[in-house]
Amino acid sequence: MTDVEPVDERARSLLGRVLHGHGVSVRVSEVEAYGGVHDPASHAFTRTARSETMYGPPWQLYVYRSYGMHWCANIVTGPTEQAAAVLVRAGEVVEGVDIARERRGNVPDVRLARGPGNLARALGITDADLGTALLEPGGVTLGPAVADLGPMTAGPRVGVSQAADVPWRFWLTGDPTVSAYRRSPRAG
DNA sequence: TAGGCGATGACCT
DNA sequence: GGTCATCGCCTAC
């Protein structure tokens, strides 16, 4: 590997874009970048069957289960074999609000897609969507880039115990749908 | 084959 | 703000 992909740049470019999933559309307000094979915090740091999708071509959906019961949606951004990906952490439901409410239960609208597990649930994303090509018509798709984003902020990643201080979490400044920061108890 | 751990969320104080 | 539920995956034996 002679150079490192600008994974942080790829992550920032996802902010404001709309992710469509099974009848619900979410405007992405918060993301977290994972550098793939060189990032100790990434699932792809050690290659396993679970993370195999991340080594494939970009713009595919990587779905994993967290704490046994939550699904988390990632967008593979790196070229084949690099396994760089971006975790979509939060967003604002802009279409299909009724469907999202049905999936999430009786919570305030601002919380419908706040947090990676909640966002995946609002969009109806499960392991059945693993490997979905996001730029082609299908169950889960990604909209075009947004020109006027407004200010964004960078900070440390949430919940990771390795490389916790790398500022690869990005969110739209002041957006109410952004999830709260919580440091991993295992981070140094 | 068994044990430990987590890119979390919800609830309680 | 703090605590705990919960279970699939990974690693070590």
Side-chain angles (χ1 to χ4, degrees):
Chain A
M1 204 65 63
T2 55
D3 57 353
V4 178
E5 274 292 305
V7 288
D8 54 338
E9 209 168 290
R10 297 285 184 93
R12 277 193 287 261
S13 75
L14 288 173
L15 285 175
R17 295 179 76 164
V18 177
L19 192 61
H20 309 272
H22 306 287
V24 174
S25 299
V26 166
R27 176 175 169 268
V28 177
S29 65
E30 181 187 2
V31 296
E32 233 170 52
Y34 287 85
V37 292
H38 297 301
D39 182 359
S42 171
H43 287 173
F45 187 63
T46 51
R47 188 166 189 159
T48 65
R50 176 177 65 158
S51 59
E52 194 61 31
T53 300
M54 298 175 81
Y55 292 84
W59 308 115
Q60 288 196 349
L61 195 64
Y62 166 58
V63 181
Y64 71 93
R65 199 193 327 259
S66 180
Y67 289 85
M69 49 185 144
H70 310 293
W71 295 108
C72 296
N74 295 247
I75 297 171
V76 179
T77 57
T80 301
E81 294 301 319
Q82 173 147 349
V86 174
L87 170 67
V88 184
R89 289 196 56 86
E92 174 193 3
V93 177
V94 292
E95 277 181 45
V97 178
D98 292 339
I99 300 174
R101 284 184 187 140
E102 200 172 308
R103 289 176 179 151
R104 289 279 294 116
N106 186 25
V107 300
D109 284 0
V110 74
R111 291 192 192 172
L112 284 174
R114 188 170 80 168
N118 289 332
L119 180 136
R121 190 170 163 190
L123 289 172
I125 291 176
T126 67
D127 61 340
D129 300 298
L130 181 66
T132 298
L134 295 170
L135 301 184
E136 298 172 12
V140 184
T141 58
L142 182 66
V146 176
D148 184 21
L149 274 181
M152 64 180 70
T153 311
R157 293 180 287 188
V158 174
V160 300
S161 57
Q162 302 295 316
D165 295 318
V166 178
W168 275 358
R169 172 175 173 245
F170 306 98
W171 64 94
L172 301 178
T173 307
D175 194 298
T177 62
V178 172
S179 62
Y181 175 64
R182 178 167 42 172
R183 190 178 178 85
S184 166
R186 302 181 61 78

